[in-house]
Amino acid sequence: MVYKVRVILDAKETIFRDIEVKEKQTLWNLHLGIKSAFNLPGEELSSFYFSDDEWNEGNAVPLEDMSDDGDGEIMSDIYLPEGFPAVGSKMRFQYGFIELWEFFCELLEIVDEKTAVNYPLTVYRFGNVPLKAPSKTGSSSNGKSKSSATSFMDDDFGDFDSEFKESSFEDEDDDYNDDDEDEGYNDVFEEDDED
């Protein structure tokens, strides 16, 4: 049997892919299918999360074992029927670290396997995938726009430009007289004669 999973990119626009994976394959295979279907760059860390009907994150299933004792479950340990036990089952998927791509995965149906087909297979595409991980606010990938960073700087440190325009650093040392030896400063060094 083949599991048809709809994978929806968490973005303002509707962008999704339907991916078929054999029931004997694991979440690692679905991970490869998602990377291929959405042209995700690099070899980033990623995780699936068990999810309820409201898409709340449950236990994580990472790509690699990050536990201290080294016996945590990873994607290659979880077969599709374990991740998606029934039609309508949901999981979340996150890819990347600095640029975080987030996806919602739902099992649409279980169909018969076709002969001579390499799975996972993208069977339907909707929407254009952006070049960078989208944010839900439509600003930069970390969720903050440039103006919010500027306002943060202005709030905490004042307006630098106006402060520096008010005064000039030029000629600040005009009061200092290089010829004035009475101040006790002498930059002439005497060399000791060593015989």
Side-chain angles (χ1 to χ4, degrees):
M1 302 303 288
V2 171
Y3 281 54
K4 183 188 283 188
V5 179
R6 174 156 293 170
V7 182
I8 305 165
L9 178 61
D10 190 6
K12 290 176 83 173
E13 307 82 24
T14 303
I15 303 166
F16 68 86
R17 305 289 185 259
D18 291 347
I19 302 171
E20 291 184 347
V21 185
K22 290 195 291 189
E23 70 177 330
K24 294 179 181 177
Q25 291 181 310
T26 64
L27 291 179
W28 180 77
N29 298 103
L30 178 57
H31 154 262
L32 294 178
I34 294 171
K35 277 188 62 178
S36 174
F38 287 90
N39 296 317
L40 297 177
E43 295 295 324
E44 302 288 334
L45 292 176
S46 57
S47 290
F48 281 97
Y49 294 87
F50 288 98
S51 179
D52 61 15
D53 288 338
E54 304 300 318
W55 296 106
N56 296 311
E57 283 183 12
N59 293 334
V61 182
L63 179 62
E64 298 176 14
D65 188 6
M66 302 293 197
S67 65
D68 292 335
D69 50 9
D71 64 352
E73 286 187 318
I74 58 174
M75 289 181 197
S76 57
D77 295 333
I78 307 294
Y79 289 90
L80 263 289
E82 296 172 271
F84 299 94
V87 171
S89 296
K90 298 174 179 167
M91 293 192 86
R92 294 183 66 158
F93 178 69
Q94 293 181 346
Y95 181 82
F97 181 69
I98 295 173
E99 276 198 39
L100 184 63
W101 297 79
E102 297 185 82
F103 301 89
F104 301 101
C105 307
E106 182 176 0
L107 178 61
L108 293 180
E109 61 181 334
I110 301 171
V111 296
D112 290 329
E113 184 177 341
K114 298 180 183 102
T115 56
V117 173
N118 279 335
Y119 293 98
L121 175 69
T122 304
V123 294
Y124 186 76
R125 298 173 188 272
F126 185 89
N128 295 320
V129 179
L131 296 176
K132 291 188 172 191
S135 70
K136 290 160 268 313
T137 60
S139 56
S140 63
S141 62
N142 65 1
K144 293 184 177 181
S145 65
K146 289 181 182 176
S147 62
S148 67
T150 304
S151 63
F152 166 75
M153 294 288 287
D154 288 344
D155 290 346
D156 286 355
F157 302 107
D159 187 2
F160 286 126
D161 291 337
S162 64
E163 288 180 29
F164 288 120
K165 287 177 184 172
E166 288 174 10
S167 66
S168 173
F169 290 109
E170 290 179 26
D171 303 322
E172 279 190 4
D173 61 349
D174 282 349
D175 297 340
Y176 183 75
N177 186 355
D178 289 337
D179 296 332
D180 191 6
E181 298 287 333
D182 296 337
E183 297 291 323
Y185 180 78
N186 186 352
D187 61 355
V188 178
F189 297 100
E190 296 179 12
E191 293 184 15
D192 293 335
D193 290 336
E194 293 184 14
D195 293 302

